[in-house]
Amino acid sequence: MAIGLLGNKIGMTQIFDEAGNIIPVTILKVGPCVVTQVKTREKDGYDSIQVGYGSVSSKSLTQPEFGHLQKSNIQPLKYLKEFRINEENEFQIGQVLNVNSFEPGQLVNIQGKTIGKGFSGLQKRHNFTRGPMTHGSKNHRAPGSIGMGTTPGRVLPGKKMSGQLGNKIITVKKLKVVQLNCEENILVIKGSVPGKPGNLLSIVPSD
């Protein structure tokens, strides 16, 4: 039974394989997650489950959120996320999903919010080359022309310009599970994942 789970990024380190090669890895704290809702094709038009993660006080939730969980006799949870499934009969409301849903060597897709780096220029945001730095040049880090003066005489949508860098949801695909610790709910992933330590992540098996 492979299904997506929620977790937090702990940080990065490195380990050695049997051949003595250094492998950069990210340590994740995954689950335990609780099934808070089961959707069926007959009732909702598609099959999926909603999982909750992170125990909090009921005061931290809105009344609709608290009522949704209380209806199923589930403790207050901070995060809720829905995952599509193929067969709804495998899951029941209140079922606990742990890191043992994964196995070493498996490939997973990890989704999370990247580190926000604020307002950034073109060189940092889009890898533009800068202009000459000498001989009276006034085009060191300027964008240059951003559109034509005649028809249509406007800046076309999608033009690469300065602006907010980072702080957006991205998905890194086909990361390899190196190790897992079922007792501590720890997942060791080869490579890097989005965000800073403590960042909320969604871990889903790759197709």
Side-chain angles (χ1 to χ4, degrees):
M1 180 179 63
I3 189 64
L5 296 178
L6 298 176
N8 296 108
K9 177 179 179 179
I10 296 178
M12 290 197 69
T13 184
Q14 59 187 22
I15 61 175
F16 295 88
D17 62 10
E18 297 177 354
N21 299 315
I22 295 177
I23 303 177
V25 296
T26 304
I27 311 299
L28 308 180
K29 173 77 171 180
V30 180
C33 297
V34 181
V35 177
T36 56
Q37 185 178 6
V38 178
K39 293 188 176 182
T40 61
R41 188 178 302 274
E42 293 76 16
K43 183 178 179 181
D44 304 286
Y46 63 96
D47 296 324
S48 73
I49 63 168
Q50 182 189 80
V51 300
Y53 171 69
S55 298
V56 293
S57 169
S58 59
K59 297 180 181 179
S60 300
L61 302 179
T62 63
Q63 196 65 31
E65 290 172 339
F66 180 66
H68 171 65
L69 297 174
Q70 193 178 38
K71 182 179 179 181
S72 303
N73 295 321
I74 297 174
Q75 63 178 354
L77 298 169
K78 186 174 184 179
Y79 304 108
L80 298 175
K81 187 172 178 63
E82 189 174 297
F83 297 99
R84 291 291 188 100
I85 59 174
N86 295 325
E87 182 58 52
E88 74 278 1
N89 296 330
E90 297 181 3
F91 302 95
Q92 293 83 34
I93 294 178
Q95 180 179 347
V96 178
L97 304 176
N98 293 313
V99 72
N100 54 16
S101 299
F102 302 99
E103 57 185 19
Q106 183 179 3
L107 299 180
V108 295
N109 299 339
I110 297 182
Q111 184 182 81
K113 182 175 287 189
T114 59
I115 297 175
K117 300 183 178 180
F119 190 95
S120 301
L122 293 164
Q123 282 71 29
K124 184 175 182 179
R125 192 181 188 211
H126 296 298
N127 298 317
F128 278 25
T129 56
R130 60 170 174 77
M133 302 300 288
T134 57
H135 300 294
S137 170
K138 297 181 180 179
N139 183 31
H140 301 318
R141 295 172 67 91
S145 173
I146 58 173
M148 65 298 294
T150 56
T151 306
R154 63 189 176 91
V155 180
L156 298 178
K159 181 68 178 176
K160 292 182 178 179
M161 300 181 74
S162 303
Q164 169 69 36
L165 177 62
N167 194 36
K168 63 180 182 179
I169 301 294
I170 69 167
T171 302
V172 182
K173 296 184 177 182
K174 296 188 182 302
L175 295 175
K176 186 177 181 180
V177 176
V178 180
Q179 299 175 3
L180 57 88
N181 185 333
C182 297
E183 295 180 358
E184 300 293 334
N185 289 313
I186 297 296
L187 201 63
V188 181
I189 301 293
K190 181 179 180 180
S192 61
V193 303
K196 58 186 179 181
N199 193 36
L200 178 70
L201 299 171
S202 170
I203 304 97
V204 182
S206 294
D207 295 332

